[in-house]
Amino acid sequence: MAFAPSSTTDGIHLPETARELVKILVAGPFGVGKTTLIDSVSEIRPLHTEETLSEASAPVDDLAGIREKATTTVAIDFGRISLAGGIVLYLFGTPGQERFRSLWDDIAHGALGALVLVDSRRIDASFDVLGLVEESRLPYAVAFNAFPDAPAHHTEAQLRAALDLDADTPMVTCDARDANSSVDALLALVQHLIDRHPPENR
């Protein structure tokens, strides 16, 4: 399966080859790169609900390890990407802070799966989001966003154990700034969904 750019000329309407429309969540803690990933792959102009961080948010938005962060998503990010085989992913980026938890059920409604972004510099920040995804019974894949100063000494087994992931949960590394890398992470999730629910023979 591969990335298939939209065949439309305006970049807005669905490509003529679209057959399967799939809602996917891009989840993860505050500052992990969800907005960046959607920006990097979306074939349409992404929708963002970003607001500048203020002094009032300082007590509730933990900036440890991400001091350069200046904005935050307050509702959703939205983008779209077409894959080979007529699969079109609608990507919904979810807010990463606990105070937006009440939005989760609405955003997650109708989703077939989630790509959970993780920052290996602060793995424990991902526990709450992984808990939400699992409570929602959504199949998911984990993508470690490759920050430049991320520790490089962790093995795959150590990372999987740190997150308490099932053996069949896909786990990849990606660079959310890079379209090809981000697409590969999404493809890992899509393949996981297909493996769980193979298409019926027609």
Side-chain angles (χ1 to χ4, degrees):
M1 190 178 296
F3 174 54
S6 174
S7 61
T8 59
T9 57
D10 58 15
I12 297 174
H13 297 96
L14 279 173
E16 297 173 0
T17 55
R19 289 187 356 217
E20 302 286 343
L21 309 181
V22 181
K23 180 179 180 180
I24 295 295
L25 302 187
V26 179
F30 175 57
V32 78
K34 302 179 294 292
T35 299
T36 301
L37 184 142
I38 290 174
D39 272 347
S40 75
V41 301
S42 183
E43 65 194 14
I44 60 173
R45 182 178 179 182
L47 166 69
H48 296 306
T49 55
E50 291 266 299
E51 293 292 340
T52 302
L53 289 170
S54 65
E55 290 184 11
S57 71
V60 291
D61 291 332
D62 183 5
L63 292 175
I66 49 171
R67 291 292 174 187
E68 70 282 1
K69 181 74 170 166
T71 61
T72 183
T73 298
V74 296
I76 62 168
D77 292 317
F78 175 77
R80 189 188 77 204
I81 179 174
S82 299
L83 304 177
I87 298 174
V88 177
L89 304 184
Y90 289 106
L91 305 175
F92 288 77
T94 63
Q97 298 99 307
E98 176 65 25
R99 71 179 189 274
F100 296 118
R101 186 181 181 119
S102 60
L103 291 172
W104 176 264
D105 288 342
D106 289 337
I107 297 173
H109 181 73
L112 292 190
L115 180 67
V116 180
L117 286 181
V118 175
D119 182 347
S120 60
R121 302 171 301 177
R122 47 193 186 98
I123 289 177
D124 57 347
S126 301
F127 295 159
D128 287 345
V129 173
L130 284 168
L132 278 175
V133 173
E134 291 176 352
E135 287 172 19
S136 301
R137 300 179 182 271
L138 284 174
Y140 65 94
V142 168
F144 282 89
N145 192 8
F147 289 93
D149 58 343
H153 58 275
H154 295 307
T155 66
E156 178 177 339
Q158 288 172 328
L159 293 172
R160 188 174 289 277
L163 292 172
D164 194 25
L165 298 180
D166 290 339
D168 65 344
T169 300
M171 193 180 77
V172 299
T173 298
C174 77
D175 182 342
R177 301 166 299 180
D178 180 78
N180 290 330
S181 182
S182 297
V183 168
D184 285 345
L186 289 166
L187 288 174
L189 170 62
V190 171
Q191 188 59 57
H192 182 51
L193 298 178
I194 291 173
D195 291 345
R196 288 171 58 93
H197 302 287
E200 296 180 2
N201 294 328
R202 297 179 181 177

